[in-house]
Amino acid sequence: MSGAGTARAVLQRAPRDLDLVELPLPDVGPDDALLSVEACGICGTDVEEYSGALLDSIGPASPFVPGHEPVGRIAAIGAGAARRWGLAEGDRVVVEPALPCGACRDCRTGRYALCAGWDHHPMSYGFIPARIPPALWGGFADHMYLHPNSVVHRVPDTVDPRIAATFNALAAGVEWAVEVPGTRAGDCVVVLGAGQRGLTCVLAARAAGAGPVIVTGLAADRHKLDLALELGATGAVEADGGGVPEKVLALTGGVPADVVIDVASHDTTTVLDAMRIARPGGTVVLAGLKGGRPVPGWVSDDVVLKGLRVQGVRAVGHTSFRRAVALIAAGDRPLHRLVTHSFALADAAEAIETLAGNRPASPETAPVSVVITPDSVPPPPPHS
């Protein structure tokens, strides 16, 4: 199938330099496809990519099309890709960020999210330089190229694409709060941090049958703590002033947690809190980056004497994406409450600045999840 026409795409040329341009639509061969993008979620990684914080470490050489949480419909697909993915034109899908090479050790052992087998690393949608044909490698566009190695998941037509755009955040919640720690029904789970990923950890833990599930956050983010309660948390703790372990244990009746997930960014005290909250033999999952800072007062003997399992997490696996899509498709969780803002392609910079908290907001208008759509549409209504 021959490409015809152009796609509108946001091109990042340098830090904080976004430009809405037109790029040629690619030819579609027998093993690849073209996605008509309906929505693309944005997260903290997009904020750091936009600001330039990631460009020296894992980011691409500019220019590039950002966006690694795309949802859309198959606009064109080759016969081989249609058989391999079980898809046809018009089907709605979400696309995993990672683009595996399929040949390196991590890919062969099922850890393709850590793939380092390409000449350009990482090969992840939203991070690939536009100099690599066909340039449309990101979801901040009205069309995106689907490489033959893409990992896609079908989403029912009944799902609002803006809600489907929570798939990546929800998959992280499933991975960090359920898959990695092996959370079981009845486990006590504590989530330190009430940001986007903290909220999805709450939702995923409750969906797995965990309880009680306690979440912590700052008083300034009271709206997020209240949202966590709507998503299934059984208790919420304001962390201001310290004493978080004592506040948490007061809600659990003094019973330490089976699983503690630290998703708080930059604050190193949450690492020590996690160690104190976890029961002997419990699991601590470290997900929130601390900006390279050491943890003052951390004593490794505390891990040994309590027999703790401490696990760092970086990427999300295929099973977690599948479970996240199933949760979205089921439609019985208030995922619409996560999607607070929606912006058009032309307003991509404003969308990122809004998620970063760089725009005035009240508790009623503060962002949780922000999506970009080809054209401006409001976020899903409160009871959709």
Side-chain angles (χ1 to χ4, degrees):
M1 286 171 275
S2 176
T6 59
R8 290 179 300 142
V10 174
L11 205 63
Q12 179 163 339
R13 302 184 185 278
R16 300 185 182 276
D17 181 3
L18 301 184
D19 191 14
L20 186 60
V21 301
E22 291 194 355
L23 297 173
L25 290 173
D27 292 341
V28 175
D31 291 316
D32 50 12
L34 185 67
L35 185 74
S36 177
V37 179
E38 296 177 295
C40 187
I42 61 177
C43 71
T45 301
D46 295 289
V47 174
E48 294 188 346
E49 190 178 39
Y50 169 72
S51 69
L54 286 180
L55 298 184
D56 290 337
S57 54
I58 66 170
S62 295
F64 62 96
V65 179
H68 61 278
E69 302 182 356
V71 181
R73 293 189 182 274
I74 300 296
I77 189 168
R83 287 192 302 271
R84 186 172 63 255
W85 293 332
L87 295 174
E89 290 184 10
D91 286 344
R92 175 175 287 149
V93 298
V94 300
V95 185
E96 291 190 26
L99 186 57
C101 73
C104 71
R105 180 177 181 181
D106 284 321
C107 284
R108 295 197 310 270
T109 56
R111 299 179 299 175
Y112 59 83
L114 302 176
C115 169
W118 299 98
D119 290 338
H120 172 78
H121 177 68
M123 280 289 276
S124 173
Y125 286 109
F127 291 88
I128 302 172
R131 60 179 167 76
I132 300 177
L136 289 168
W137 293 106
F140 288 10
D142 59 24
H143 286 80
M144 189 177 90
Y145 173 69
L146 296 185
H147 186 279
N149 291 13
S150 301
V151 184
V152 299
H153 300 266
R154 178 111 180 245
V155 178
D157 291 339
T158 54
V159 176
D160 187 308
R162 292 159 296 175
I163 294 175
T166 65
F167 78 95
N168 195 43
L170 185 52
V174 171
E175 181 88 356
W176 303 346
V178 180
E179 290 283 338
V180 167
T183 300
R184 299 170 297 182
D187 278 353
C188 175
V189 174
V190 175
V191 181
L192 303 178
Q196 190 182 93
R197 264 50 177 179
L199 293 172
T200 59
C201 282
V202 167
L203 195 150
R206 289 297 282 165
V213 175
I214 312 297
V215 63
T216 73
L218 299 176
D221 291 330
R222 184 68 230 185
H223 64 290
K224 294 181 181 178
L225 293 174
D226 291 339
L227 177 54
L229 295 172
E230 290 186 47
L231 295 173
T234 57
V237 168
E238 293 183 2
D240 306 69
V244 169
E246 292 77 15
K247 294 175 183 177
V248 168
L249 291 173
L251 292 179
T252 66
V255 178
D258 298 288
V259 176
V260 185
I261 308 105
D262 176 15
V263 292
S265 61
H266 302 294
D267 184 3
T268 59
T269 62
T270 53
V271 177
L272 301 181
D273 288 342
M275 303 295 174
R276 292 183 59 193
I277 294 168
R279 66 166 174 82
T283 298
V284 172
V285 177
L286 300 180
L289 292 175
K290 310 304 182 184
R293 291 189 290 273
V295 179
W298 183 76
V299 179
S300 62
D301 286 355
D302 295 339
V303 177
V304 176
L305 295 175
K306 288 186 75 171
L308 294 177
R309 174 192 174 204
V310 180
Q311 176 72 55
V313 290
R314 172 185 166 188
V316 177
H318 183 70
T319 301
S320 295
F321 277 110
R322 289 181 60 187
R323 293 180 68 170
V325 171
L327 283 170
I328 292 170
D332 58 355
R333 308 280 170 174
L335 290 169
H336 63 277
R337 295 286 286 117
L338 291 172
V339 184
T340 55
H341 294 72
S342 181
F343 292 86
L345 282 175
D347 301 315
E350 187 69 13
I352 297 171
E353 295 282 8
T354 297
L355 183 66
N358 295 332
R359 295 293 181 264
S362 66
E364 293 76 23
T365 61
V368 178
S369 288
V370 178
V371 299
I372 290 178
T373 60
D375 299 296
S376 182
V377 292
H383 302 291
S384 65

